[in-house]
Amino acid sequence: MASTTQVSSETTQNIKLSAAYDKEAHNEYKYNAYLPVYDEQTTFPPLEPFDFHDRGHNADKAKPNLLFSDNDVKITRLTPGISTEISGLQLSQLSDAQKDELALLLAERGVVVFRDQDFKDIGPNAQKTLGQYFGPLHVHPVGAHVADNLEFHNIYLGADNLYRAQQRSSRLTSTGYHSDVSYEHQPPGITLLTLLAVPATGGDTAWVSQTLAYERLSDPIKKLIEGLRAEHSGFAQAERARRDGKFVRRDPVLSQHPIVRVHPVTGRKALFVNPGFTKRIIGLKDEESDAILQLLFKHISLSADLQVRVKWDDRTVTLWDNRVTAHTAINDYDVQSAEEGLRHGFRITTLAEKPVGVDGLNSTW
């Protein structure tokens, strides 16, 4: 696999960091080292193309090592169509065979939730090593991160940092379905998220199956969109960050991805559009593009029978396949209330293949 941008301790030492939290409020916080900071000077060149091999190709389809490894392992389907929950198995101790089967399970079920995990306590190096098994790690171009670990995209919403809440303060809802940084030329495959602190109640995450969303469409609509490509843009995100005084580490990009992509392991078709980053359909008039995208966005957001809502605790780790899902945080708690608490964690995102359409052609840019 060719190298993408590599991040080393030399890259992050001697750089200017701005804390994105109240230091005095967290003196006794166990996960102080994972609190959000903004690197204000490290820049990266454009991501380079690389060959990608999905670990799911290596897996036994029956998944005997992952699903039947021990009598104490409990496997639960959270909904019929999307998400599986696993308890009694430590993500940090999986063998390569189990991780390969996990990649296949993610391709099939979209989301896998691990309960009662030690993952947040195994340290950054081991955490990154696990992520790197599934693909090169992505460095977010504008988001807060963990000191000395730019690959950790920081998830933080509390009374001492309301930036994430303020971004959507002019809207009726804080929900916003998206597939992580889908504007990248080779956008993410598997993402891993763990929360270190959770509100007393609320702060769930919801996912929608883009595979089932595609399958639910009528045949004429499927035929219409299977040959179309849409523009995914990182420019609005970068411009918003600059406007808000945030540092942009890498110049934004545009990609033209198929609206319907084919998963390389399962061969199943899935929608690959999201309201966060998909801007227009190539080759259509503005009104035509808007009408089709709004139809698909509404379908994705409103189809509760294609979705799952996961409740967090501070020992839960959730992985998902961005190629077949979209997700949204649910900010339904009072972030300024000390009683309701802080929502803090970090995300490790791996890059995957160039999306391939039903016609067998890759994305373009």
Side-chain angles (χ1 to χ4, degrees), residues 80-297:
I82 177 173
S83 73
T84 295
E85 182 175 291
I86 298 177
S87 58
L89 194 62
Q90 285 296 330
L91 180 63
S92 63
Q93 299 174 18
L94 296 185
S95 66
D96 286 356
Q98 288 174 314
K99 286 181 279 190
D100 291 344
E101 291 172 10
L102 174 57
L104 176 57
L105 183 62
L106 284 162
E108 295 172 344
R109 298 287 296 162
V111 181
V112 178
V113 182
F114 283 85
R115 299 293 190 184
D116 196 26
Q117 297 296 298
D118 63 5
F119 182 78
K120 65 180 184 177
D121 296 314
I122 64 176
N125 289 337
Q127 290 158 348
K128 282 190 282 192
T129 296
L130 176 61
Q132 287 167 334
Y133 186 84
F134 300 105
L137 301 188
H138 181 257
V139 175
H140 200 281
V142 301
H145 60 94
V146 173
D148 299 321
N149 294 283
L150 280 165
E151 306 94 337
F152 288 12
H153 180 56
N154 220 304
I155 308 298
Y156 187 101
L157 185 56
D160 55 345
N161 186 340
L162 300 176
Y163 179 61
R164 293 173 66 89
Q166 289 167 344
Q167 285 181 304
R168 295 174 178 166
S169 60
S170 62
R171 295 175 48 196
L172 287 173
T173 177
S174 65
T175 59
Y177 277 95
H178 62 284
S179 177
D180 291 334
V181 294
S182 65
Y183 49 75
E184 298 290 12
H185 299 332
Q186 291 184 238
I190 292 171
T191 291
L192 181 156
L193 174 62
T194 187
L195 293 188
L196 309 171
V198 297
T201 185
D204 300 349
T205 302
W207 284 265
V208 60
S209 170
Q210 297 266 52
T211 304
L212 297 180
Y214 163 80
E215 293 174 354
R216 185 68 60 83
L217 297 171
S218 65
D219 288 341
I221 295 296
K222 289 179 184 176
K223 184 176 181 180
L224 170 65
I225 65 175
E226 282 182 355
L228 298 176
R229 279 165 171 69
E231 180 181 275
H232 294 238
S233 174
F235 279 82
Q237 184 184 74
E239 290 165 4
R240 183 172 59 246
R242 289 191 178 104
R243 179 201 66 201
D244 295 342
K246 308 300 181 184
F247 184 74
V248 178
R249 303 182 189 100
R250 191 175 66 248
D251 288 340
V253 297
L254 295 173
S255 296
Q256 294 180 9
H257 296 314
I259 289 181
V260 180
R261 70 183 296 179
V262 179
H263 196 285
V265 176
T266 66
R268 293 180 70 184
K269 302 173 185 177
L271 290 179
F272 193 61
V273 294
N274 66 88
F277 301 116
T278 310
K279 301 305 179 183
R280 65 186 181 93
I281 298 175
I282 308 303
L284 298 191
K285 304 290 187 181
D286 290 346
E287 294 89 345
E288 296 167 338
S289 173
D290 290 345
I292 293 172
L293 286 179
Q294 289 306 315
L295 167 68
L296 297 178
F297 294 162

Side-chain angles (χ1 to χ4, degrees), residues 18-95:
S18 62
Y21 60 95
D22 181 351
K23 291 185 178 181
E24 293 184 5
H26 295 287
N27 287 334
E28 304 301 320
Y29 183 41
K30 181 178 179 181
Y31 298 100
N32 190 288
Y34 288 87
L35 285 166
V37 295
Y38 286 98
D39 164 15
E40 296 183 343
Q41 69 184 62
T42 302
T43 59
F44 293 101
L47 293 177
E48 299 176 359
F50 64 94
D51 294 328
F52 177 73
H53 175 75
D54 195 298
R55 294 290 184 175
H57 283 300
N58 305 340
D60 184 328
K61 292 184 179 180
K63 308 175 195 68
N65 301 289
L66 183 70
L67 303 184
F68 309 105
S69 58
D70 192 294
N71 291 333
D72 293 330
V73 176
K74 183 179 179 182
I75 310 296
T76 306
R77 289 192 168 203
L78 296 182
T79 74
I82 177 173
S83 73
T84 295
E85 182 175 291
I86 298 177
S87 58
L89 194 62
Q90 285 296 330
L91 180 63
S92 63
Q93 299 174 18
L94 296 185
S95 66

